[in-house]
């Protein structure tokens, strides 16, 4: 009597599309340690996977393992490395970017060991890029962002939170080149002024989400421009933007845009409740 084993099943017709695709990446990493055959199976799977997400692995995966896992993959569409900020450098990332020209989503948020060379590599290799996460990547500068804007015209969302080297000129250039932007974060950057917001509003008419948290130099003028030019806006974050007041936000509230700052009367009621211990009844219809 012949006993069948799991690995006797067809790899590319059964195991990979119907079993391995449902396993989390960290389970696959462990599975390839079982035997040489399992290692070969996982390598075949990794060379054909379209999504590589390391959030569940964090710092547990060594550099060598990362390079080995992706060395044969040329079909990646989604690459997320934000939890590898402690060790991912250009040396590990550049080969992966260079051989994966179909990437549509890349998240490098928090990867502080990279340099502008990685951003330039993405812009030159990934012309179909739609979503890009660069939050807390302070190595992002004006020239590398301009390269991205020149080559990745399909970009729909980009997170530039705390990219503090960037100033208005870079953001304005991005807005003029990437007209399909729907989601943009410029949060925690004191260099950003009304000039950036107005340029984004006038060029990216399909904008749906904008995060200006902590942009201290943004004022009412640009928020009014945003209201006028971006009819599809759904969410606006202006917390800690002390020069943005209700006079510019009111028209957006009437369109049901979600704003992270409460109206003045609502804030006053919350403060009153904290003082009195209960919420007084006030007829808001008056």
């Amino acid at each position: 009597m012949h006993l069948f084993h799991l690995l006797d099943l067809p790899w590319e017709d059964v195991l990979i599309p119907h079993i391995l695709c449902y396993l989390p990446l960290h389970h696959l990493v462990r599975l390839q340690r079982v035997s040489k055959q399992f290692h070969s199976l996982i390598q075949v799977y990794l060379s054909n996977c379209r999504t590589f997400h390391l959030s569940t692995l964090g710092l547990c995966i060594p550099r060598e393992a990362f390079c080995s896992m992706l060395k044969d993959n040329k079909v990646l569409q989604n690459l997320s490395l934000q939890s590898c900020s402690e060790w991912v450098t250009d040396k590990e990332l550049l080969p992966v970017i260079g051989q994966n020209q179909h990437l549509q989503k890349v998240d490098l948020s928090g990867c502080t060991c990279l340099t502008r060379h990685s951003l330039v590599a993405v812009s030159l290799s990934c012309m179909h890029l739609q979503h890009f996460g660069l939050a807390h990547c302070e190595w992002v500068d004006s020239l590398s962002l301009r390269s991205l804007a020149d080559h990745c015209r399909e970009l729909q969302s980009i997170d530039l939170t705390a990219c503090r080297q960037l100033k208005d000129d870079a953001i304005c250039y991005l807005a003029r080149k990437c007209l399909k932007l729907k989601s943009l974060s410029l949060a925690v950057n004191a260099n950003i002024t009304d000039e950036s917001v107005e340029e984004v509003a006038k060029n990216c008419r399909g904008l749906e989400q904008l995060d200006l948290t902590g942009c201290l130099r943004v004022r009412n003028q640009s928020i009014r421009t945003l209201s006028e030019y971006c009819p599809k806006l759904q969410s606006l974050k202006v917390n800690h933007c002390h020069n943005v007041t209700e006079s510019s936000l009111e028209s957006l509230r009437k369109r049901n845009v979600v704003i992270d700052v409460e109206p003045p009367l609502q804030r006053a009621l919350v403060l009153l409740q904290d003082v009195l211990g209960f919420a007084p009844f006030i007829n808001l219809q008056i």
Side-chain angles (χ1 to χ4, degrees), residues 7 13 26 43 45 72 83 106 113 117-119 154 171-172 186 233 237-239 241 256 264 270 279:
L7 294 177
D13 293 330
H26 61 285
Q43 282 300 126
Y45 169 78
D72 298 320
S83 62
V106 176
C113 298
H117 296 297
S118 286
L119 178 50
E154 300 299 313
I171 302 305
C172 291
L186 303 174
L233 192 67
K237 295 183 178 181
V238 288
N239 200 15
C241 296
N256 295 318
V270 171

Side-chain angles (χ1 to χ4, degrees), residues 262-270 272 279-286:
E262 295 289 348
L265 180 57
Q266 187 66 37
R267 290 203 298 272
L269 287 175
V270 171
L272 192 58
F281 174 77
I282 297 178
N283 187 355
L284 299 179
Q285 302 300 318
I286 297 177

Side-chain angles (χ1 to χ4, degrees), residues 191-208:
N191 296 320
I192 301 302
T193 72
D194 286 342
E195 183 181 353
S196 289
V197 179
E198 292 192 352
E199 199 69 24
V200 169
K202 292 176 180 178
N203 288 280
C204 307
R205 303 291 185 90
L207 193 69
E208 297 176 0

Side-chain angles (χ1 to χ4, degrees), residues 20-40:
L20 295 187
C21 65
Y22 294 105
L23 295 179
L25 188 57
H26 61 285
H27 288 170
L28 296 175
V29 172
R30 293 171 183 170
L31 190 61
Q32 69 177 350
R33 301 171 186 165
V34 173
S35 68
K36 290 183 177 179
Q37 271 193 304
F38 270 110
H39 183 273
S40 298

Side-chain angles (χ1 to χ4, degrees), residues 2 8 15 100 140 144 152 155 157 164 173 180 193 228:
H2 180 67
D8 292 329
L15 291 180
N100 284 281
V140 176
S144 56
C152 300
L155 203 62
S157 69
R164 295 186 179 91
Y173 191 86
K180 297 182 180 180
T193 72
E228 178 182 355

